[in-house]
Amino acid sequence: MASTFVNNNIPCNAGSIKGFNNSQRNLGFCSNFGFNFTKTRVSDFGNSVRKFPSSLVVKASEKRENLTEQKTGLSIEECEAAVVAGNAPSAPPVPSTPKAPSGTPSISPLSLGRRPRRNRRSAAFRSAFQETQLSPANLVYPLFIHEGEEDTPIGAMPGCYRLGWRHGLIEEVAKARDVGVNSIVLFPKVPDALKSPTGNEAYNENGLVPRTIRMLKDKFPDLVIYTDVALDPYSSDGHDGIVREDGVIMNDETVHQLCKQAVAQARAGADVVSPSDMMDGRVGAIRAALDAEGFSHVSIMSYTAKYASSFYGPFREALDSNPRFGDKKTYQMNPANYREALIETQEDESEGADILLVKPGLPYLDIIRLLRDNSALPIAAYQVSGEYSMIKAGGVLKMIDEEKVMLESLLCLRRAGADIILTYFALQAARCLCGEKR
């Protein structure tokens, strides 16, 4: 069936969105940030029209009687001859210049060779020249899982839950896929009884994360699954590595454990393993371990520039993974440092990382741009729990427009150079981008 797309003179840069379920039977069009649309589809059988929540209108035909003048029946030659003879047909008059408000000073126009506002004067112009695009495909959805069957809310992260790995998780993934988010990253809440100083549960092949990966791949074979490679959810000390009796985080011994964890996750079906521990040399060791076990196809997203940030608090509540003592400043980066991120970038690239990640996101836009300008690898940004919770709190208190600030913050991460964004807003943002009513 031939269709004509009409959008009421509002520009639409629409892209196909994978993952819509068959019951919706929509066409898979979504709007860019900043525009809301409605879409309508004409049935293949008859002239009935089905409406979906958005502003993009899809019609099989468009009546034009009220848009054009009545045809005279003259040939092209006759029309040309009339114009040559000075009998050009009438057209609407030139619009009058709008009047300025009373009291506006009368001045001579500024002599400007360039006026950038000319390219911003209408929605059509702004859309045509928009440099940065945001779509659900750019989003990775972090999901918290636990052994229980009920979903439990996370107090410091409104709208986020510890999801039951067999029930709530499946429903949340299905919702995300319906609006084009097909990448997730898993974070487990591990029972205290399974935690130990060496974090051995991290590489239990029947542990929570490997079990969950296998189940998700069984139900959604094309789902892209990222995993977290670090010991803190499994450590009785709450640190990302093995802690010596004097409080020192042991580097090489921790890397040994991380390699076993990454291989266990790859064996379960993970697409991307993501070392977030910040141990030296772990990317190269994990790459070698994966290749040796036949997992050369599994990617590594390295937390290249992970800072010892105060923005992680709500996340640690979600996983109950606060350090039992001290802090993480001996292995995570100093927030005051900029050039040090280049050292980490060079090391991770040389060791075989496939994706480089900056964490946190919005407060570290300069670091995202630094990595973008100095590496050809894809760059990821993590909009962390503290960023999420602040936007949520501001929205609840009516201090900001939550939806607009959410979308703007994600667009800024993209503008700074992030190819993908790990964000707890993934589902909410994708629904907005697709014009779905909340």
Side-chain angles (χ1 to χ4, degrees):
M1 179 185 69
S3 297
T4 301
F5 297 94
V6 180
N7 62 8
N8 301 323
N9 295 322
I10 298 175
C12 174
N13 185 355
S16 177
I17 301 297
K18 296 182 180 179
F20 286 95
N21 61 45
N22 291 331
S23 64
Q24 290 174 306
R25 293 184 60 79
N26 60 38
L27 295 181
F29 286 91
C30 74
S31 68
N32 276 329
F33 166 60
F35 301 101
N36 292 317
F37 300 93
T38 57
K39 48 181 175 272
T40 306
R41 178 176 177 177
V42 178
S43 169
D44 293 336
F45 305 96
N47 297 320
S48 61
V49 176
R50 299 175 59 197
K51 293 185 177 180
F52 297 91
S54 93
S55 76
L56 179 65
V57 181
V58 182
K59 295 183 178 179
S61 64
E62 178 71 25
K63 294 183 178 180
R64 299 181 181 274
E65 288 82 359
N66 61 336
L67 300 178
T68 61
E69 296 288 338
Q70 187 69 30
K71 291 184 177 180
T72 62
L74 297 175
S75 68
I76 294 174
E77 291 78 8
E78 290 171 324
C79 289
E80 290 179 344
V83 172
V84 171
N87 298 319
S90 61
V94 175
S96 60
T97 302
K99 292 183 179 179
S102 177
T104 300
S106 179
I107 63 169
S108 298
L110 296 174
S111 178
L112 300 178
R114 182 165 307 187
R115 290 180 179 263
R117 286 186 57 191
R118 286 194 284 258
N119 290 340
R120 307 175 196 145
R121 67 183 183 269
S122 72
F125 273 92
R126 292 191 296 273
S127 179
F129 304 130
Q130 183 168 317
E131 300 171 19
T132 304
Q133 307 296 331
L134 175 67
S135 83
N138 301 125
L139 307 178
V140 179
Y141 196 7
L143 296 171
F144 301 108
I145 54 174
H146 68 156
E147 294 285 8
E149 296 188 353
E150 299 298 324
D151 301 339
T152 60
I154 299 167
M157 299 179 68
C160 291
Y161 296 81
R162 296 190 192 102
L163 301 169
W165 71 283
R166 286 178 294 184
H167 304 287
L169 174 65
I170 298 300
E171 294 174 6
E172 196 71 5
V173 169
K175 291 176 187 176
R177 285 165 59 87
D178 282 347
V179 286
V181 177
N182 199 46
S183 299
I184 66 164
V185 56
L186 296 172
F187 294 102
K189 165 63 174 71
V190 177
D192 288 343
L194 294 178
K195 296 181 180 181
S196 67
T198 54
N200 292 356
E201 180 65 16
Y203 51 86
N204 176 3
E205 297 200 1
N206 199 39
L208 177 57
V209 170
R211 264 186 283 126
T212 300
I213 295 170
R214 295 198 299 269
M215 183 192 63
L216 287 172
K217 282 296 186 179
D218 180 63
K219 294 183 180 295
F220 309 109
D222 64 334
L223 179 69
V224 179
I225 300 178
Y226 292 71
T227 59
D228 180 51
V229 178
L231 298 187
D232 53 326
Y234 309 90
S235 168
S236 52
D237 295 306
H239 277 282
D240 292 46
I242 299 172
V243 183
R244 206 167 61 190
E245 64 178 359
D246 60 355
V248 171
I249 310 302
M250 304 176 73
N251 191 93
D252 296 9
E253 293 81 359
T254 296
V255 170
H256 178 79
Q257 298 290 76
L258 298 177
C259 289
K260 292 194 285 185
Q261 181 183 16
V263 168
Q265 294 170 348
R267 186 168 288 119
D271 298 287
V272 185
V273 297
S274 311
S276 64
D277 56 289
M278 292 299 289
M279 298 296 122
D280 294 337
R282 89 276 203 211
V283 172
I286 290 172
R287 181 74 274 160
L290 290 172
D291 292 351
E293 294 292 329
F295 300 115
S296 59
H297 61 284
V298 174
S299 301
I300 297 176
M301 179 176 71
S302 174
Y303 283 55
T304 296
K306 181 179 180 181
Y307 285 83
S309 172
S310 299
F311 283 88
Y312 304 151
F315 176 94
R316 290 173 182 169
E317 176 187 320
L319 295 187
D320 189 23
S321 61
N322 274 306
R324 186 171 58 83
F325 64 90
D327 53 42
K328 302 189 177 186
K329 294 181 179 179
T330 65
Y331 47 100
Q332 294 179 359
M333 289 175 59
N334 184 343
N337 288 3
Y338 176 82
R339 298 190 306 272
E340 186 181 7
L342 286 177
I343 298 173
E344 295 286 355
T345 298
Q346 292 161 3
E347 291 300 315
D348 287 355
E349 276 197 337
S350 67
E351 292 176 23
D354 300 286
I355 307 165
L356 308 178
L357 182 141
V358 177
K359 181 180 180 182
L362 208 60
Y364 293 80
L365 293 179
D366 58 329
I367 307 301
I368 297 172
R369 173 50 56 184
L370 179 69
L371 268 63
R372 172 74 293 145
D373 289 343
N374 287 277
S375 176
L377 291 177
I379 305 299
Y382 199 143
Q383 186 180 51
V384 299
S385 58
E387 298 173 73
Y388 169 87
S389 295
M390 287 194 300
I391 294 173
K392 280 289 184 181
V396 168
L397 295 173
K398 305 299 181 184
M399 293 179 173
I400 58 173
D401 184 316
E402 178 188 316
E403 183 175 296
K404 289 181 178 178
V405 171
M406 167 190 71
L407 290 172
E408 183 179 340
S409 68
L410 295 172
L411 194 70
C412 289
L413 292 167
R414 289 275 293 138
R415 187 196 66 227
D419 298 289
I420 59 172
I421 304 167
L422 284 66
T423 176
Y424 305 100
F425 282 121
L427 176 57
Q428 182 181 347
R431 285 174 169 171
C432 293
L433 291 168
C434 293
E436 181 177 318
K437 299 292 184 182
R438 291 195 298 163

